[in-house]
PDB file of all heavy atoms in Angstrom:
ATOM      1  N   ALA A  20      50.259 -43.826 -52.662  1.00 98.00           N
ATOM      2  CA  ALA A  20      48.995 -43.397 -52.062  1.00 98.00           C
ATOM      3  C   ALA A  20      47.933 -43.336 -53.154  1.00 98.00           C
ATOM      4  O   ALA A  20      48.251 -43.246 -54.350  1.00 98.00           O
ATOM      5  CB  ALA A  20      49.145 -42.037 -51.395  1.00 98.00           C
ATOM      6  N   LYS A  21      46.696 -43.409 -52.729  1.00 98.00           N
ATOM      7  CA  LYS A  21      45.573 -43.342 -53.665  1.00 98.00           C
ATOM      8  C   LYS A  21      44.521 -42.416 -53.081  1.00 98.00           C
ATOM      9  O   LYS A  21      44.204 -42.511 -51.883  1.00 98.00           O
ATOM     10  CB  LYS A  21      44.975 -44.730 -53.901  1.00 98.00           C
ATOM     11  CG  LYS A  21      43.842 -44.756 -54.923  1.00 98.00           C
ATOM     12  CD  LYS A  21      43.352 -46.179 -55.149  1.00 98.00           C
ATOM     13  CE  LYS A  21      42.219 -46.234 -56.162  1.00 98.00           C
ATOM     14  NZ  LYS A  21      42.631 -45.799 -57.510  1.00 98.00           N
ATOM     15  N   THR A  22      44.007 -41.534 -53.890  1.00 98.00           N
ATOM     16  CA  THR A  22      42.962 -40.632 -53.424  1.00 98.00           C
ATOM     17  C   THR A  22      41.910 -40.460 -54.509  1.00 98.00           C
ATOM     18  O   THR A  22      42.201 -40.609 -55.707  1.00 98.00           O
ATOM     19  CB  THR A  22      43.537 -39.256 -53.039  1.00 98.00           C
ATOM     20  OG1 THR A  22      42.498 -38.445 -52.475  1.00 98.00           O
ATOM     21  CG2 THR A  22      44.132 -38.532 -54.242  1.00 98.00           C
ATOM     22  N   GLY A  23      40.691 -40.204 -54.090  1.00 97.00           N
ATOM     23  CA  GLY A  23      39.637 -40.036 -55.082  1.00 97.00           C
ATOM     24  C   GLY A  23      38.343 -39.534 -54.482  1.00 97.00           C
ATOM     25  O   GLY A  23      38.189 -39.428 -53.257  1.00 97.00           O
ATOM     26  N   TRP A  24      37.447 -39.228 -55.374  1.00 97.00           N
ATOM     27  CA  TRP A  24      36.120 -38.758 -54.975  1.00 97.00           C
ATOM     28  C   TRP A  24      35.188 -39.068 -56.151  1.00 97.00           C
ATOM     29  O   TRP A  24      35.178 -38.354 -57.139  1.00 97.00           O
ATOM     30  CB  TRP A  24      36.148 -37.263 -54.685  1.00 97.00           C
ATOM     31  CG  TRP A  24      34.921 -36.729 -53.999  1.00 97.00           C
ATOM     32  CD1 TRP A  24      33.680 -37.297 -53.941  1.00 97.00           C
ATOM     33  CD2 TRP A  24      34.828 -35.491 -53.283  1.00 97.00           C
ATOM     34  NE1 TRP A  24      32.813 -36.512 -53.233  1.00 97.00           N
ATOM     35  CE2 TRP A  24      33.498 -35.393 -52.816  1.00 97.00           C
ATOM     36  CE3 TRP A  24      35.725 -34.474 -52.998  1.00 97.00           C
ATOM     37  CZ2 TRP A  24      33.058 -34.300 -52.085  1.00 97.00           C
ATOM     38  CZ3 TRP A  24      35.285 -33.391 -52.271  1.00 97.00           C
ATOM     39  CH2 TRP A  24      33.971 -33.304 -51.811  1.00 97.00           C
ATOM     40  N   TYR A  25      34.435 -40.154 -56.019  1.00 97.00           N
ATOM     41  CA  TYR A  25      33.524 -40.554 -57.081  1.00 97.00           C
ATOM     42  C   TYR A  25      32.111 -40.087 -56.760  1.00 97.00           C
ATOM     43  O   TYR A  25      31.514 -40.545 -55.797  1.00 97.00           O
ATOM     44  CB  TYR A  25      33.497 -42.075 -57.232  1.00 97.00           C
ATOM     45  CG  TYR A  25      34.827 -42.713 -57.542  1.00 97.00           C
ATOM     46  CD1 TYR A  25      35.469 -43.492 -56.584  1.00 97.00           C
ATOM     47  CD2 TYR A  25      35.428 -42.559 -58.784  1.00 97.00           C
ATOM     48  CE1 TYR A  25      36.680 -44.095 -56.860  1.00 97.00           C
ATOM     49  CE2 TYR A  25      36.637 -43.157 -59.069  1.00 97.00           C
ATOM     50  CZ  TYR A  25      37.264 -43.927 -58.102  1.00 97.00           C
ATOM     51  OH  TYR A  25      38.457 -44.523 -58.378  1.00 97.00           O
ATOM     52  N   GLY A  52      38.818 -32.522 -57.559  1.00 97.00           N
ATOM     53  CA  GLY A  52      40.094 -33.224 -57.588  1.00 97.00           C
ATOM     54  C   GLY A  52      41.220 -32.450 -56.948  1.00 97.00           C
ATOM     55  O   GLY A  52      42.106 -33.027 -56.317  1.00 97.00           O
ATOM     56  N   MET A  55      41.435 -33.117 -53.201  1.00 97.00           N
ATOM     57  CA  MET A  55      41.985 -34.425 -52.848  1.00 97.00           C
ATOM     58  C   MET A  55      43.484 -34.472 -53.123  1.00 97.00           C
ATOM     59  O   MET A  55      44.256 -35.056 -52.349  1.00 97.00           O
ATOM     60  CB  MET A  55      41.256 -35.523 -53.622  1.00 97.00           C
ATOM     61  CG  MET A  55      39.739 -35.514 -53.451  1.00 97.00           C
ATOM     62  SD  MET A  55      39.206 -35.290 -51.733  1.00 97.00           S
ATOM     63  CE  MET A  55      39.917 -36.738 -50.944  1.00 97.00           C
ATOM     64  N   LEU A  56      43.909 -33.874 -54.227  1.00 98.00           N
ATOM     65  CA  LEU A  56      45.331 -33.791 -54.548  1.00 98.00           C
ATOM     66  C   LEU A  56      46.090 -33.039 -53.471  1.00 98.00           C
ATOM     67  O   LEU A  56      47.133 -33.496 -52.979  1.00 98.00           O
ATOM     68  CB  LEU A  56      45.501 -33.098 -55.908  1.00 98.00           C
ATOM     69  CG  LEU A  56      46.933 -32.747 -56.315  1.00 98.00           C
ATOM     70  CD1 LEU A  56      47.747 -34.009 -56.556  1.00 98.00           C
ATOM     71  CD2 LEU A  56      46.911 -31.862 -57.569  1.00 98.00           C
ATOM     72  N   ALA A  59      46.147 -35.057 -50.122  1.00 97.00           N
ATOM     73  CA  ALA A  59      46.962 -36.270 -50.227  1.00 97.00           C
ATOM     74  C   ALA A  59      48.450 -35.928 -50.206  1.00 97.00           C
ATOM     75  O   ALA A  59      49.238 -36.576 -49.504  1.00 97.00           O
ATOM     76  CB  ALA A  59      46.608 -37.035 -51.493  1.00 97.00           C
ATOM     77  N   LEU A 116      51.363 -41.244 -56.525  1.00 98.00           N
ATOM     78  CA  LEU A 116      50.012 -40.924 -56.066  1.00 98.00           C
ATOM     79  C   LEU A 116      49.041 -41.161 -57.200  1.00 98.00           C
ATOM     80  O   LEU A 116      49.210 -40.629 -58.299  1.00 98.00           O
ATOM     81  CB  LEU A 116      49.922 -39.469 -55.594  1.00 98.00           C
ATOM     82  CG  LEU A 116      48.513 -38.934 -55.273  1.00 98.00           C
ATOM     83  CD1 LEU A 116      47.889 -39.695 -54.115  1.00 98.00           C
ATOM     84  CD2 LEU A 116      48.565 -37.438 -54.970  1.00 98.00           C
ATOM     85  N   SER A 117      48.014 -41.969 -56.940  1.00 98.00           N
ATOM     86  CA  SER A 117      46.960 -42.219 -57.914  1.00 98.00           C
ATOM     87  C   SER A 117      45.751 -41.360 -57.550  1.00 98.00           C
ATOM     88  O   SER A 117      45.317 -41.347 -56.399  1.00 98.00           O
ATOM     89  CB  SER A 117      46.576 -43.703 -57.902  1.00 98.00           C
ATOM     90  OG  SER A 117      45.466 -43.940 -58.737  1.00 98.00           O
ATOM     91  N   LEU A 118      45.223 -40.646 -58.542  1.00 98.00           N
ATOM     92  CA  LEU A 118      44.104 -39.733 -58.319  1.00 98.00           C
ATOM     93  C   LEU A 118      42.977 -40.065 -59.288  1.00 98.00           C
ATOM     94  O   LEU A 118      43.204 -40.183 -60.498  1.00 98.00           O
ATOM     95  CB  LEU A 118      44.571 -38.291 -58.543  1.00 98.00           C
ATOM     96  CG  LEU A 118      43.487 -37.205 -58.616  1.00 98.00           C
ATOM     97  CD1 LEU A 118      42.834 -37.012 -57.247  1.00 98.00           C
ATOM     98  CD2 LEU A 118      44.091 -35.886 -59.102  1.00 98.00           C
ATOM     99  N   GLU A 119      41.758 -40.228 -58.760  1.00 98.00           N
ATOM    100  CA  GLU A 119      40.595 -40.479 -59.602  1.00 98.00           C
ATOM    101  C   GLU A 119      39.392 -39.724 -59.039  1.00 98.00           C
ATOM    102  O   GLU A 119      39.068 -39.870 -57.858  1.00 98.00           O
ATOM    103  CB  GLU A 119      40.276 -41.974 -59.684  1.00 98.00           C
ATOM    104  CG  GLU A 119      41.325 -42.790 -60.419  1.00 98.00           C
ATOM    105  CD  GLU A 119      40.926 -44.239 -60.601  1.00 98.00           C
ATOM    106  OE1 GLU A 119      39.879 -44.634 -60.039  1.00 98.00           O
ATOM    107  OE2 GLU A 119      41.651 -44.968 -61.286  1.00 98.00           O
ATOM    108  N   VAL A 120      38.759 -38.921 -59.888  1.00 98.00           N
ATOM    109  CA  VAL A 120      37.590 -38.157 -59.443  1.00 98.00           C
ATOM    110  C   VAL A 120      36.535 -38.145 -60.546  1.00 98.00           C
ATOM    111  O   VAL A 120      36.859 -38.238 -61.728  1.00 98.00           O
ATOM    112  CB  VAL A 120      37.964 -36.699 -59.082  1.00 98.00           C
ATOM    113  CG1 VAL A 120      38.802 -36.652 -57.818  1.00 98.00           C
ATOM    114  CG2 VAL A 120      38.706 -36.023 -60.237  1.00 98.00           C
ATOM    115  N   PHE A 133      38.084 -40.006 -50.343  1.00 97.00           N
ATOM    116  CA  PHE A 133      38.948 -40.903 -49.581  1.00 97.00           C
ATOM    117  C   PHE A 133      40.414 -40.683 -49.926  1.00 97.00           C
ATOM    118  O   PHE A 133      40.760 -40.175 -50.990  1.00 97.00           O
ATOM    119  CB  PHE A 133      38.585 -42.364 -49.877  1.00 97.00           C
ATOM    120  CG  PHE A 133      38.845 -42.778 -51.309  1.00 97.00           C
ATOM    121  CD1 PHE A 133      40.091 -43.263 -51.701  1.00 97.00           C
ATOM    122  CD2 PHE A 133      37.849 -42.664 -52.267  1.00 97.00           C
ATOM    123  CE1 PHE A 133      40.333 -43.630 -53.022  1.00 97.00           C
ATOM    124  CE2 PHE A 133      38.080 -43.036 -53.583  1.00 97.00           C
ATOM    125  CZ  PHE A 133      39.322 -43.516 -53.957  1.00 97.00           C
ATOM    126  N   ILE A 134      41.270 -41.070 -48.979  1.00 97.00           N
ATOM    127  CA  ILE A 134      42.718 -41.088 -49.179  1.00 97.00           C
ATOM    128  C   ILE A 134      43.252 -42.347 -48.513  1.00 97.00           C
ATOM    129  O   ILE A 134      42.875 -42.668 -47.382  1.00 97.00           O
ATOM    130  CB  ILE A 134      43.412 -39.856 -48.556  1.00 97.00           C
ATOM    131  CG1 ILE A 134      42.941 -38.575 -49.244  1.00 97.00           C
ATOM    132  CG2 ILE A 134      44.937 -39.974 -48.674  1.00 97.00           C
ATOM    133  CD1 ILE A 134      43.480 -37.309 -48.590  1.00 97.00           C
ATOM    134  N   ARG A 135      44.132 -43.064 -49.209  1.00 98.00           N
ATOM    135  CA  ARG A 135      44.796 -44.231 -48.641  1.00 98.00           C
ATOM    136  C   ARG A 135      46.308 -44.031 -48.753  1.00 98.00           C
ATOM    137  O   ARG A 135      46.824 -43.834 -49.857  1.00 98.00           O
ATOM    138  CB  ARG A 135      44.375 -45.511 -49.365  1.00 98.00           C
ATOM    139  CG  ARG A 135      42.894 -45.842 -49.240  1.00 98.00           C
ATOM    140  CD  ARG A 135      42.594 -47.219 -49.830  1.00 98.00           C
ATOM    141  NE  ARG A 135      41.176 -47.535 -49.738  1.00 98.00           N
ATOM    142  CZ  ARG A 135      40.299 -47.366 -50.721  1.00 98.00           C
ATOM    143  NH1 ARG A 135      40.723 -46.884 -51.878  1.00 98.00           N
ATOM    144  NH2 ARG A 135      39.036 -47.682 -50.574  1.00 98.00           N
TER     145      ARG A 135
END
Side-chain angles (χ1 to χ4, degrees):
K21 183 177 180 64
T22 185
W24 192 340
Y25 301 110
M55 305 315 299
L56 172 67
L116 171 63
S117 174
L118 169 69
E119 293 185 353
V120 290
F133 65 88
I134 296 174
R135 297 187 181 97

